[in-house]
Amino acid sequence: MAFSIRSLRGRMQNVYLNSNELSKSISDLPQRCLVLIFRELDLKSLGNLGLTSKVIMSQILTYLLKDAPVSQTLYCFRPTARITVPGTSLSHGGFLPQEITSYKLILYMGRKNFRELGVMMKQLTMLMPTRLRLQTLANFLFSSHVVLPLVSTFSPTRANNRDM
């Protein structure tokens, strides 16, 4: 695998790494650095990177379940509005306000997005036992950053407003 990097003097250099060297060097980085790297990759690249080692695969799955933004995993959804709703109840009877973003589905991008997402999750979980694989996929599907766009897009109030 070859990467082009810019040296300190500004010259482009090609660096050749095999998968063992790549997996050792990436897995030694702290989690916050990995999050920054993973945010710059598309779904196909994340899936391919996860194939290099089990350690990196588990780090990518952790990133997808906790830190991945909607714009990376479900890029076919576009934010449309931020709504403030009453959130968790407080001890004195009030509610702590919470901001929720509503999303709009871009249909022509949806098929490609869900296919890439499915292939990536298949690549990352293919060596797991079936029970653990299904549990991981359910955790991903029902995590808050995936459920909110789906709920806000297909909610009955939005469907009623569209018919008017």
Side-chain angles (χ1 to χ4, degrees):
M1 189 177 293
F3 295 97
S4 294
I5 59 171
R6 192 170 297 278
S7 68
L8 293 176
R9 294 182 184 159
R11 295 183 186 157
M12 292 299 287
Q13 296 178 344
N14 288 330
V15 178
Y16 297 95
L17 295 173
N18 63 27
S19 63
N20 291 334
E21 292 172 344
L22 180 65
S23 65
K24 287 178 189 174
S25 61
I26 289 181
S27 61
D28 291 339
L29 292 172
Q31 185 66 27
R32 67 178 187 272
C33 292
L34 289 174
V35 167
L36 295 174
I37 292 171
F38 295 158
R39 281 206 175 139
E40 297 299 319
L41 299 175
D42 62 345
L43 295 176
K44 188 175 182 179
S45 299
L46 276 174
N48 289 337
L49 184 61
L51 294 174
T52 58
S53 75
K54 285 187 176 184
V55 174
I56 293 177
M57 178 203 59
S58 66
Q59 290 171 336
I60 290 174
L61 283 173
T62 302
Y63 165 74
L64 288 171
L65 289 171
K66 294 182 180 178
D67 300 320
V70 174
S71 60
Q72 183 179 21
T73 54
L74 294 172
Y75 58 82
C76 64
F77 290 97
R78 296 285 187 241
T80 57
R82 295 186 73 75
I83 305 166
T84 303
V85 296
T88 57
S89 61
L90 299 174
S91 59
H92 56 78
F95 287 96
L96 185 65
Q98 179 182 8
E99 274 196 5
I100 295 177
T101 304
S102 65
Y103 292 88
K104 176 180 145 184
L105 174 64
I106 311 297
L107 287 176
Y108 72 90
M109 296 173 71
R111 184 175 184 163
K112 180 182 176 197
N113 183 197
F114 286 112
R115 180 172 179 82
E116 286 178 359
L117 187 62
V119 168
M120 181 203 57
M121 292 304 283
K122 175 79 171 180
Q123 286 177 332
L124 294 176
T125 60
M126 71 181 162
L127 296 178
M128 294 179 174
T130 303
R131 173 175 270 165
L132 184 58
R133 167 188 248 170
L134 292 175
Q135 183 179 11
T136 303
L137 294 175
N139 289 342
F140 176 74
L141 286 175
F142 295 113
S143 62
S144 64
H145 72 277
V146 174
V147 168
L148 284 176
L150 294 175
V151 169
S152 71
T153 302
F154 300 112
S155 67
T157 57
R158 289 183 53 84
N160 292 340
N161 291 340
R162 234 180 286 140
D163 295 336
M164 293 181 176

